[in-house]
Amino acid sequence: MSKLNREQTITYDKQYNQHPWLTGNVDPIPIEKANGIYFYDFNGKKYFDMSSQLSCVNIGYGNEDVIKAVQEQVEILPYIAPAYASAPRSELAKLLVDLAPDNIAKVFFTCGGSDANEAAIQMARTFTGRSKIFSRYRSYHGSTLGSGNLSGDPRRFALENPSATGFVKFKDPYVYRSCLSFETDQEAAKYYLQKIEEQLAYEGPENVAAIFVESITGANGVIIPPDGYLQGLRKICDKYQILMVCDEVMAGFGRTGKMFAFENWDVKPDIITFAKGVTSGYVALGGIMVSKEIADYYKEHVFQYGLTYSGHSLACAAGVACVQYYKKAHLLENTKKVGKVLGEILEELKVKHACVGDVRYIGLFAAVEFVKDKKTKEPLVPYADHSGIMGKIIGLLKERGFATFGRENNINIAPPLIITEKELREAMKIFDEVLEIVDKEFL
Ligand SMILES: Cc1ncc(COP(=O)(O)O)c(C=O)c1O
């Protein structure tokens, strides 16, 4: 354990750490410890972790089962190369295949979500012999070359590279921001699916290896597809023999009240990419789960992809304990129960505050969309804005002990799935207070 004090932590961080997506002039809050749904700075100030960090600490901090599993594993076998078989890697792969839909047969482990999507791109292209990859604008799939180009949000701009070809973007089923008004989910789904099929025709469906979607868009504002959308996407993929890849990196592992978010619509993807909640961030881990057809193909063909830490022993030991904990602690049930309360609170806030245009929620996965004007839906900040207004709102929340993140004109709310109703209500009071300030000072 590091023995640095507060001052050393700040000084060394400023001097030696490059933070992601930020200039070197950042002033991060030095955090000392965490427990349950809270983390604490070196002065003892307590923060509600209302985003589970980057929506990964699903089981909260200080989980004894995971701590013990990692401690025991580090003594027996801390690491073994991927070419060997190891008990934690074998056990976790079996646990995951058992949890997944019945078409899923095998797992390939990575170190996180970006390289999981990278592996899925590589696999889809080799398996189908096709090059084009479809994904959506309001998406984030990672920041390596392939996954960065797969991503649709502005973080992709810096990574767009002439050597990364074949990435085609399509529009999200973002009903709140549609210029059309739909009477039903089915109508909305039909419209967005027609648009995809039209675009496939323009690109030549025989050239398309895979369609990647976040089952529910996460970082870009929890965009929940209308009922019928994912089912229709499955049909389109079947029609043109295109692989359907569901990125469950953020939405998976209980976040929506189901183990995987696509289960809300009863679809079976060909490839599932995952990370974050599989270990709840205790040790870095990601991976892809693939259908029997794909797994069979790779019995005869070499999978041209590899990582030194694929299926790292400590990560897989953490994964086994973590995945078992979801069931042991009835976290899916708690997510549905407390998630219902979160939804009710958000609906009340939408009525009460002029700055709230839309609230979207499912389980403990929610976003609040800020507007200047409820009627016109003019966003509080334009797309890809750098004014820092949303950062100020997030800062006001943090000052009051409510820690979360946002993108564009959205703020995400996704606390650890162990949160109680009482804790949620306490935290959401802070949110209400800050919305009051936004109504008065930011519109
Ligand atoms: C949906 C989704 N996919 C992929 C990633 C990339 O995962 P990682 O940061 O572990 O590389 C993220 C990260 O936030 C994500 O939200």
Side-chain angles (χ1 to χ4, degrees):
M1 184 185 139
S2 171
K3 298 278 193 286
L4 290 194
N5 63 27
R6 180 177 185 277
E7 281 61 42
Q8 289 166 319
T9 302
I10 295 171
T11 310
Y12 292 3
D13 181 78
K14 280 201 152 192
Q15 198 166 343
Y16 302 116
N17 277 329
Q18 174 61 52
H19 286 261
W21 308 111
L22 294 165
T23 66
N25 297 319
V26 289
D27 237 342
I29 304 166
I31 301 302
E32 186 184 17
K33 58 186 183 187
N35 193 36
I37 65 155
Y38 304 106
F39 61 88
Y40 301 82
D41 68 16
F42 279 81
N43 296 326
K45 179 173 170 177
K46 181 172 98 173
Y47 295 83
F48 285 92
D49 187 350
M50 291 306 284
S51 61
S52 309
Q53 295 305 309
L54 297 176
S55 301
C56 54
V57 189
N58 289 8
I59 62 166
Y61 305 92
N63 184 285
E64 289 297 336
D65 291 11
V66 178
I67 293 169
K68 191 161 163 269
V70 176
Q71 282 172 343
E72 285 176 0
Q73 187 62 46
V74 77
E75 290 190 13
I76 298 170
L77 181 69
Y79 170 77
I80 190 84
Y84 296 93
S86 80
R89 192 189 295 128
S90 299
E91 189 174 358
L92 184 57
K94 176 168 176 8
L95 267 177
L96 293 175
V97 170
D98 288 349
L99 281 174
D102 58 12
N103 65 320
I104 295 294
K106 268 197 179 169
V107 182
F108 172 78
F109 288 110
T110 63
C111 306
S114 298
D115 46 352
N117 283 316
E118 204 71 49
I121 294 167
Q122 160 74 358
M123 214 176 230
R125 283 180 166 157
T126 318
F127 175 74
T128 60
R130 303 172 177 185
S131 60
K132 291 193 185 176
I133 303 279
F134 269 46
S135 59
R136 297 189 299 219
Y137 279 105
R138 296 234 178 200
S139 70
Y140 181 70
H141 296 287
S143 68
T144 53
L145 188 60
S147 67
N149 277 274
L150 188 64
S151 298
D153 81 28
R155 282 175 283 188
R156 119 183 93 97
F157 298 158
L159 295 160
E160 277 178 326
N161 185 306
S163 67
T165 56
F167 291 94
V168 180
K169 296 289 176 299
F170 63 102
K171 285 219 182 144
D172 314 74
Y174 193 5
V175 175
Y176 175 69
R177 292 239 158 254
S178 174
C179 51
L180 302 170
S181 57
F182 305 107
E183 296 278 317
T184 61
D185 265 31
Q186 278 66 28
E187 230 180 72
K190 191 172 162 203
Y191 169 77
Y192 288 107
L193 291 166
Q194 268 174 356
K195 288 283 154 203
I196 297 173
E197 228 176 329
E198 206 176 304
Q199 207 174 337
L200 279 172
Y202 294 141
E203 294 291 338
E206 68 283 4
N207 302 318
V208 181
I211 299 181
F212 279 69
V213 289
E214 291 180 66
S215 311
I216 293 173
T217 299
N220 281 273
V222 187
I223 301 168
I224 303 167
D227 186 22
Y229 178 87
L230 283 184
Q231 300 94 313
L233 190 63
R234 176 70 272 177
K235 284 192 187 136
I236 291 176
C237 287
D238 289 341
K239 183 170 164 187
Y240 299 107
Q241 283 111 48
I242 294 168
L243 296 180
M244 178 177 184
V245 185
C246 282
D247 180 335
E248 289 273 329
V249 169
M250 192 179 276
F253 293 96
R255 180 58 52 205
T256 69
K258 303 263 187 195
M259 206 58 190
F260 301 107
F262 58 74
E263 289 174 41
N264 288 291
W265 298 279
D266 220 9
V267 293
K268 296 179 185 179
D270 300 297
I271 301 180
I272 302 162
T273 67
F274 64 91
K276 300 192 190 260
V278 66
T279 57
S280 284
Y282 280 71
V283 187
L285 183 68
I288 64 178
M289 293 183 239
V290 303
S291 69
K292 184 168 181 331
E293 256 188 300
I294 299 174
D296 284 348
Y297 173 87
Y298 284 103
K299 280 184 186 161
E300 309 299 330
H301 297 82
V302 178
F303 178 41
Q304 303 276 3
Y305 192 87
L307 303 158
T308 297
Y309 297 132
S310 173
H312 192 283
S313 304
L314 298 187
C316 288
V320 169
C322 181
V323 169
Q324 287 172 339
Y325 190 76
Y326 286 101
K327 191 159 179 215
K328 178 178 164 188
H330 308 289
L331 292 190
L332 302 192
E333 291 78 358
N334 191 59
T335 301
K336 280 184 210 139
K337 193 178 88 182
V338 184
K340 187 166 172 286
V341 178
L342 175 61
E344 287 161 7
I345 296 172
L346 290 173
E347 292 293 349
E348 282 165 22
L349 295 178
K350 182 169 133 182
V351 174
K352 182 173 171 192
H353 294 285
C355 64
V356 178
D358 196 22
V359 292
R360 297 181 286 273
Y361 48 87
I362 179 166
L364 286 167
F365 201 25
V368 173
E369 177 155 355
F370 288 74
V371 289
K372 273 197 175 145
D373 184 321
K374 258 191 215 285
K375 275 211 188 95
T376 63
K377 297 186 187 174
E378 184 190 346
L380 183 59
V381 295
Y383 194 68
D385 179 66
H386 294 292
S387 64
I389 289 176
M390 293 305 294
K392 277 188 195 138
I393 300 173
I394 290 167
L396 289 171
L397 287 165
K398 254 193 203 142
E399 274 170 27
R400 290 159 177 77
F402 185 116
T404 192
F405 66 81
R407 277 205 81 69
E408 304 303 336
N409 59 326
N410 293 293
I411 287 183
N412 282 33
I413 300 175
L417 311 181
I418 56 168
I419 194 169
T420 63
E421 180 178 336
K422 186 167 169 277
E423 288 167 334
L424 180 83
R425 288 192 184 279
E426 215 182 306
M428 292 308 289
K429 262 197 201 139
I430 302 174
F431 199 78
D432 187 10
E433 252 175 67
V434 169
L435 292 184
E436 206 79 58
I437 301 173
V438 179
D439 281 347
K440 282 198 193 112
E441 295 177 20
F442 289 71
L443 299 190

